[in-house]
């Protein structure tokens, strides 16, 4: 019988109302007992590294989850992480970079309604996550939620209430789950859920244990002052800049001091990293299309997010800058695909 490590971290799935608002209370053991249908499916070990609303999840917590996986890796066939939905896409992306090329599936799930709610989605999500984690064809980091299986670098929370909360962005879902049946796609990698960069069947994945948390995301809004880059310098080494449309950065003046161009090039020249992406949810970016983007298109210090999600860009940049600050190596690591995170090289 296969062995699964259930890693409970909190979230709505574990939450109860205590008069001050929903907050995590149920333990992983209690949650597992609430789904009697999973008894006999596998040998289940439950660990509880934290019990928090995922609003409070930080990069240091991603490393704690990574440590639990690393410690339990050899003794288990798969991992199911119970997690709040609000930042699940960030944690799934972070784990994709921290645990690369895992032949054993690492599944994140949670629910929109607490386990104790009358029409909760918690039971089916736990059940289907275990089914997916037990399937021989599953591997690497994925979110299983609302009947969809999404690569860990491609998820975004798209709905605050509906049970199909997550969407796979710019990449097809790896599989759908209909009650007990896993229906896998036929595209590259999706048939087996294998990552293009992973060496299938290796004894241990490539575990990484350093992140640089000094990374933030900044969304352009009309009229935003370029001075914001100067203000961010003390606290951050990298900015993920959500530009307009397919890749537009405002230029109100002549590009001189006080302009975005000046502020952005100054940011890069000071040894910091900038990643350009789009605030449009789907189809990615191309800085070369409009004049308001092209000035940045060929600058070697400006990294292009392509069709990646902001969630994955934040996590990948934290991982890359945790490995190196050498600009050539930063570019090399940034553009190397991991767990289907980019399709444009
Ligand atoms: N606030 C909760 C959390 O992210 C929401 C959820 O789990 O659905 O922990």
């Amino acid at each position: 019988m296969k062995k699964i490590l259930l890693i409970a971290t909190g979230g709505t799935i574990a939450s109860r109302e205590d008069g001050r608002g929903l907050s995590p209370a149920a333990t992983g053991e209690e949650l597992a007992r609430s789904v009697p249908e999973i008894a006999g499916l596998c040998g289940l070990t439950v660990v509880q590294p934290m019990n928090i609303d995922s609003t409070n999840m930080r990069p240091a917590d991603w490393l704690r989850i990574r440590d639990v996986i690393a410690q339990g890796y050899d003794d288990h066939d798969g991992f199911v992480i119970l997690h709040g939905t609000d930042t699940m896409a960030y944690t799934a992306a972070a784990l994709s970079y921290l645990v690369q090329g895992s032949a054993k599936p690492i599944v994140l799930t949670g629910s929109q309604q607490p386990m104790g709610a009358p029409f909760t989605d918690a039971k089916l999500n736990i059940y289907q996550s275990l089914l997916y984690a037990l399937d021989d064809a599953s591997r690497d980091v994925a979110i299983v939620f609302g009947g969809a299986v999404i690569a860990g670098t491609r998820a975004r929370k798209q709905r605050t209430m509906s049970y199909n909360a997550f969407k796979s962005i710019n990449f097809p879902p790896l599989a759908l789950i209909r009650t007990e049946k896993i229906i896998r796609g036929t595209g590259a990698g999706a048939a087996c859920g294998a990552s293009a960069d992973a060496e299938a069947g290796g004894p241990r994945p490539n575990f990484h244990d350093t992140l640089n948390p000094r990374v933030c995301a900044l969304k352009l809004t009309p009229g935003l002052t370029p001075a914001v880059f100067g203000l961010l310098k003390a606290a951050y080494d990298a900015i993920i800049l959500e530009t307009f449309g397919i890749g537009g950065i405002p230029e109100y003046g002549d590009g001189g001091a006080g302009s975005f161009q000046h502020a952005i090039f100054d940011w890069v020249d000071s040894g910091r990293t900038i990643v350009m992406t789009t605030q449009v949810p789907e189809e990615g970016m191309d800085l070369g299309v409009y004049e308001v983007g092209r000035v940045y298109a060929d600058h070697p210090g400006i990294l292009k997010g392509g069709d990646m999600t902001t969630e994955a860009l934040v996590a990948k940049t934290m991982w890359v800058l945790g490995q190196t600050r050498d600009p050539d190596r930063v570019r090399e690591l940034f553009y190397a695909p991991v767990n289907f995170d980019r399709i444009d090289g």
Side-chain angles (χ1 to χ4, degrees):
M1 187 181 265
K2 284 194 176 182
K3 288 193 258 175
I4 299 289
L5 186 60
L6 186 74
I7 305 169
T9 72
T12 292
I13 197 164
S15 289
R16 293 190 192 116
E17 176 58 68
D18 63 0
R20 289 174 300 174
L22 286 171
S23 63
T27 64
E29 298 276 2
E30 288 172 312
L31 294 173
R33 277 200 299 276
S34 305
V35 197
E37 293 75 11
I38 64 177
L41 278 184
C42 58
L44 199 66
T45 309
V46 183
V47 287
Q48 181 101 50
M50 62 210 57
N51 205 3
I52 59 175
D53 191 303
S54 79
T55 303
N56 294 325
M57 192 71 71
R58 287 175 287 190
D61 299 306
W62 302 338
L63 289 169
R64 286 169 67 196
I65 298 171
R66 170 255 180 242
D67 289 347
V68 171
I69 296 169
Q71 281 153 19
Y73 199 82
D74 294 338
D75 297 333
H76 296 88
D77 301 294
F79 305 84
V80 172
I81 302 163
L82 304 182
H83 193 289
T85 61
D86 292 344
T87 65
M88 189 186 292
Y90 288 93
T91 303
L95 291 174
S96 298
Y97 300 112
L98 291 170
V99 190
Q100 294 186 29
S102 174
K104 301 180 181 181
I106 300 166
V107 176
L108 292 97
T109 197
S111 63
Q112 292 281 61
Q113 290 285 325
M115 182 61 88
F119 298 106
T120 185
D121 50 334
K123 294 184 185 204
L124 194 57
N125 283 346
I126 290 184
Y127 182 66
Q128 293 186 331
S129 295
L130 280 170
L131 287 186
Y132 187 77
L134 288 165
D135 193 273
D136 288 341
S138 302
R139 52 169 300 134
D140 283 314
V141 180
I143 288 180
V144 172
F145 205 99
V149 183
I150 300 171
T153 59
R154 288 293 186 171
R156 173 166 298 147
K157 186 171 179 184
Q158 195 82 353
R159 298 180 185 85
T160 55
M161 288 183 267
S162 301
Y163 289 177
N164 55 344
F166 289 91
K167 183 159 189 200
S168 188
I169 301 293
N170 298 330
F171 194 74
L174 299 178
L176 300 175
I177 310 182
R178 295 282 173 258
T179 317
E180 305 198 339
K181 199 172 159 55
I182 299 170
I183 305 154
R184 294 179 187 268
T186 53
C192 61
S195 176
D197 59 306
E199 274 186 38
R204 295 271 296 179
N206 207 353
F207 282 105
H208 294 263
D209 57 8
T210 38
L211 293 169
N212 178 345
R214 290 167 54 90
V215 176
C216 69
L218 175 65
K219 181 175 182 165
L220 290 181
T221 49
L224 185 82
T225 171
V228 69
F229 287 88
L231 300 173
L232 289 170
K233 269 187 174 171
Y236 293 103
D237 295 329
I239 295 175
I240 315 302
L241 185 66
E242 289 195 341
T243 68
F244 295 122
I246 200 166
I249 295 98
E251 209 45 272
Y252 310 121
D254 58 0
S259 70
F260 271 100
Q261 200 173 309
H262 187 269
I264 288 171
F265 289 161
D266 173 64
W267 180 273
V268 175
D269 291 344
S270 69
R272 293 174 173 81
T273 301
I274 189 146
V275 179
M276 300 272 191
T277 185
T278 172
Q279 55 191 258
V280 177
E282 295 186 46
E283 300 181 356
M285 67 142 15
D286 179 353
L287 282 171
V289 177
Y290 290 97
E291 191 184 351
V292 285
R294 195 171 294 177
V295 65
Y296 303 96
D298 298 322
H299 192 294
I302 291 173
L303 302 174
K304 293 172 207 125
D307 70 348
M308 288 176 66
T309 62
T310 296
E311 292 86 335
L313 288 170
V314 167
K316 191 170 199 177
T317 307
M318 286 187 183
W319 168 67
V320 169
L321 296 185
Q323 315 309 305
T324 182
R325 292 299 295 273
D326 172 66
D328 290 338
R329 184 79 183 125
V330 165
R331 260 195 306 283
E332 200 181 317
L333 288 176
F334 180 81
Y335 287 119
V338 175
N339 197 16
F340 305 116
D341 65 353
R342 51 191 311 140
I343 55 174
D344 60 347

